């Protein structure tokens, strides 16, 4: 089906682009329609949009595709894709091997399941402290009271960012991460650029400080790697610290927010997870699949590649709609049903291949502890808002606030 035909077919079915703000609350029927009608869709900007699970899973693992925006020779104009694509050339997510492998291996030791497991007691006490502050009120905003502070504090402690500075990151990080959305208006792009500059400056100063006085934190460990030889350039160190920082909480925050909303809208599943705490592992995987925090990731063809009968030419971009892949009925039986006991759940919420989310083990642990503790401690949990509002992001999907009620302790 040609570009115009899909647009017409969508309009006929009373549907529009999943990127539009009015579709934030529920893009899934649109994904299903596109997947059914044109699973490899050639978008008006020249990029290829994949909505099937098998196509996306194969794309992410295919060495013929790169993540380096400099490889892009057609499709979206890099200038229109947000400054992060232009200035972020040393961000690991935009590098190919061998630079990607070198950079990733330097920090990956800090994120192995074993290292992450050692953070369990601290994460548990943090979740307990955050809930202690609200249990007597009988109500809370899940985003402001739990979902935002939890991953922020964890990543700050891991990297070695002083507690006193945490609050100022809130808007910097939100504005900078929005640049991943691509097609932004000038005001949002300027805001993102300024926020990115503040973040880089902040980390430049902090790195200087750690250089003078190393501590037991990830930033000091990265500095040691830098001074041990030419394995890590200064620009790479700064961009990696900033990436970990932003990736560390913009996403996990939305796992807790989107996941709580999904459970509250599916009370039978909420009760299952509350009554059988052993379900928290499969439950968190299911929440990641059902309404994950990251809906899109992209690759650029380094040679002509056939995908689902279409030819993606060298230099063209293929976009994997992870949120659509995760609801593909060919891969997940009854995909629109939340089932906290779902097994064989190989979702793509963390992407795949060499760029598979570096922080997946940490995000999983934070999610498991947050949901298990919330369900155990907050009895009679229910939604206190009819239509929760979504943030103005498409790629990173999450709520601005989520008010809930429960029995006051
Ligand atoms: C629920 C929470 C999270 C989700 C859903 C998520 C999702 C993703 C996705 C979809 C990608 C792109 C993968 C690809 O293109 O194949 C990614 C990459 C990445 N994530 Fe996460 N993420 C989460 C939490 C975290 C955390 C807590 C950290 C770090 C502390 C982190 C650090 C990274 C990094 C560094 C990359 C780039 C990896 C590379 O290019 O090799 N993420 N994540």
């Amino acid at each position: 089906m040609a570009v115009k035909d899909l647009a017409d077919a969508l309009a006929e079915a009373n549907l529009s682009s999943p990127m539009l703000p009015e579709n934030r609350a529920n893009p899934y029927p649109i994904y299903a329609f596109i997947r059914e009608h044109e699973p490899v869709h050639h978008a008006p900007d020249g990029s290829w949009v994949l909505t099937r699970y098998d196509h996306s899973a194969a794309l992410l693992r295919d060495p013929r595709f790169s993540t380096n925006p400099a490889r892009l020779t057609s499709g979206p104009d890099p200038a229109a894709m947000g400054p992060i694509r232009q200035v972020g050339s040393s961000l690991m997510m935009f590098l190919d091997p061998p630079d990607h492998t070198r950079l990733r291996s330097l920090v990956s030791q800090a994120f192995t399941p074993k290292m992450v497991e050692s953070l369990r007691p601290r994460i548990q006490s943090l979740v307990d402290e955050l809930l202690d502050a609200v249990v007597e009120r009988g109500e809370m905003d899940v985003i402001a009271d739990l979902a935002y502070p939890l991953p922020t504090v964890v990543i700050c402690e891991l990297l070695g960012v002083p507690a006193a500075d945490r609050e100022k990151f809130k808007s910097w990080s939100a504005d900078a991460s929005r640049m991943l959305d691509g097609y932004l208006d000038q005001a949002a792009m300027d805001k993102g650029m300024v926020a990115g500059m503040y973040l880089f400056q902040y980390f430049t100063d902090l790195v200087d400080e750690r250089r003078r006085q190393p501590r037991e934190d990830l930033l000091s460990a990265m500095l040691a790697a830098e001074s041990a030889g030419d394995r890590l350039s200064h620009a790479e160190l700064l961009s990696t610290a900033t990436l970990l920082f932003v990736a560390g909480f913009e996403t996990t925050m939305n796992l807790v927010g989107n996941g709580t909303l999904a459970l509250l809208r599916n009370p039978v599943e909420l009760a299952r997870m509350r009554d059988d705490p052993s379900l928290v592992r499969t439950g968190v995987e299911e929440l990641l699949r059902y309404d994950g925090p990251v809906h899109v990731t992209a690759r650029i063809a380094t040679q002509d590649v056939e995908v689902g009968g279409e030819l993606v030419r060298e230099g063209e971009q293929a976009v994997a709609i992870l949120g659509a892949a995760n609801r593909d009925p060919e891969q997940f039986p009854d995909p629109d049903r939340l089932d906290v006991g779902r097994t064989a759940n190989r979702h793509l919420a963390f992407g795949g291949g060499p760029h598979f989310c570096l922080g997946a083990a940490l995000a999983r642990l934070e999610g498991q502890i947050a949901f298990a503790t919330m369900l155990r401690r907050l009895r009679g949990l229910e939604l206190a808002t009819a239509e929760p509002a979504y943030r103005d992001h498409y790629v990173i999907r999450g709520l601005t606030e989520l008010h809930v009620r429960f029995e006051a302790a």
Side-chain angles (χ1 to χ4, degrees):
M1 201 188 282
V3 173
K4 177 128 187 354
D5 293 345
L6 181 67
D8 289 346
L10 275 166
E12 226 167 85
N14 228 353
L15 298 171
S16 53
S17 163
M19 289 173 71
L20 293 174
E22 63 258 36
N23 295 319
R24 233 30 122 226
N26 187 12
Y28 297 105
I30 304 172
Y31 289 161
F33 187 93
I34 300 175
R35 193 176 49 234
E36 241 165 67
H37 287 79
E38 196 174 302
V40 183
H41 167 59
H42 204 194
D45 68 10
S47 50
W48 295 89
V49 179
L50 315 187
T51 39
R52 275 179 55 157
Y53 179 91
D54 54 354
H55 293 157
S56 290
L59 172 81
L60 301 179
R61 291 172 180 83
D62 192 331
R64 294 171 297 174
F65 284 91
S66 158
T67 57
N68 183 350
R71 295 275 199 162
L72 203 62
T73 55
S74 72
D77 172 4
M81 293 176 68
I84 197 163
R85 302 258 161 163
Q86 298 156 55
V87 298
S89 57
S90 52
L91 288 173
M92 123 179 34
M93 61 207 278
F94 298 139
L95 292 177
D96 292 326
D99 282 336
H100 173 258
T101 325
R102 174 178 51 83
L103 205 55
R104 186 167 164 130
S105 71
L106 279 172
V107 282
S108 58
Q109 292 99 318
F111 294 94
T112 59
K114 196 169 160 226
M115 278 300 290
V116 166
E117 189 54 37
S118 72
L119 301 174
R120 181 182 284 277
R122 174 62 187 136
I123 297 174
Q124 182 64 64
S125 70
L126 204 52
V127 171
D128 277 320
E129 271 167 41
L130 292 166
L131 294 184
D132 285 345
V134 298
V135 277
E136 281 170 22
R137 287 212 308 256
E139 50 95 23
M140 70 167 171
D141 172 3
V142 175
I143 305 297
D145 294 323
L146 176 66
Y148 174 74
L150 169 65
T152 319
V153 173
V154 171
I155 197 68
C156 283
E157 289 184 355
L158 205 66
L159 273 171
V161 172
D165 294 341
R166 275 169 207 153
E167 264 310 299
K168 50 179 166 197
F169 295 122
K170 208 170 185 165
S171 64
W172 291 352
S173 167
D175 292 344
S177 66
R178 202 169 161 225
M179 286 194 285
L180 285 172
D181 268 17
Y183 314 91
L184 293 178
D185 59 31
Q186 193 58 45
M189 228 146 101
D190 292 346
K191 238 172 135 180
M193 194 65 166
V194 170
M197 273 157 43
Y198 275 123
L199 275 170
F200 271 107
Q201 189 53 52
Y202 179 83
F203 277 104
T204 306
D205 296 344
L206 193 63
V207 162
D208 284 347
E209 212 177 295
R210 288 293 180 281
R211 206 187 290 282
R212 286 193 299 273
Q213 266 185 328
R215 292 195 196 161
E216 287 284 305
D217 56 37
L218 188 53
L219 216 50
S220 306
M222 283 161 65
L223 269 166
E226 185 204 37
S227 52
D230 58 354
R231 295 167 66 215
L232 185 68
S233 75
H234 189 64
E236 288 171 341
L237 191 157
L238 277 179
S239 59
T240 304
T242 313
L243 171 65
L244 288 174
F245 185 74
V246 174
F249 63 89
E250 284 298 321
T251 48
T252 310
M253 166 171 91
N254 297 326
L255 164 61
V256 176
N258 299 354
T260 305
L261 180 62
L263 287 172
L264 289 169
R265 284 181 168 163
N266 292 273
V268 173
E269 296 305 300
L270 184 149
R272 269 180 89 195
M273 209 156 125
R274 183 195 58 217
D275 297 342
D276 179 358
S278 75
L279 282 178
V280 76
R281 274 174 198 275
T282 51
V284 165
E285 296 312 304
E286 177 67 344
L287 295 170
L288 284 160
R289 180 196 73 81
Y290 183 81
D291 197 15
V294 181
H295 268 215
V296 177
T297 190
R299 301 289 189 266
I300 298 135
T302 61
Q303 53 183 273
D304 293 358
V305 183
E306 199 227 279
V307 178
E310 301 284 357
L311 188 65
V312 179
R313 291 187 189 281
E314 178 182 346
E316 287 183 340
Q317 173 167 254
V319 178
I321 309 289
L322 306 174
N326 285 339
R327 297 272 192 123
D328 185 343
E330 294 286 322
Q331 176 69 18
F332 303 101
D334 207 357
D336 295 325
R337 191 168 88 81
L338 182 76
D339 171 4
V340 295
R342 193 184 285 268
T343 48
N345 189 352
R346 300 189 64 194
H347 61 73
L348 299 181
F350 291 118
H355 291 274
F356 179 82
C357 176
L358 184 71
L362 178 59
R364 283 178 161 133
L365 184 65
E366 289 181 46
Q368 288 166 11
I369 295 177
F371 288 112
T373 313
M374 208 171 16
L375 295 182
R376 178 168 46 78
R377 293 191 56 186
L378 307 180
R379 290 282 147 176
L381 195 61
E382 60 177 23
L383 265 180
T385 171
E387 295 291 333
Y390 281 83
R391 282 152 51 108
D392 192 16
H393 285 221
Y394 169 62
V395 171
I396 298 185
R397 170 178 173 73
L399 300 158
T400 50
E401 46 190 29
L402 180 62
H403 292 276
V404 296
R405 277 188 294 265
F406 45 87
E407 289 165 23

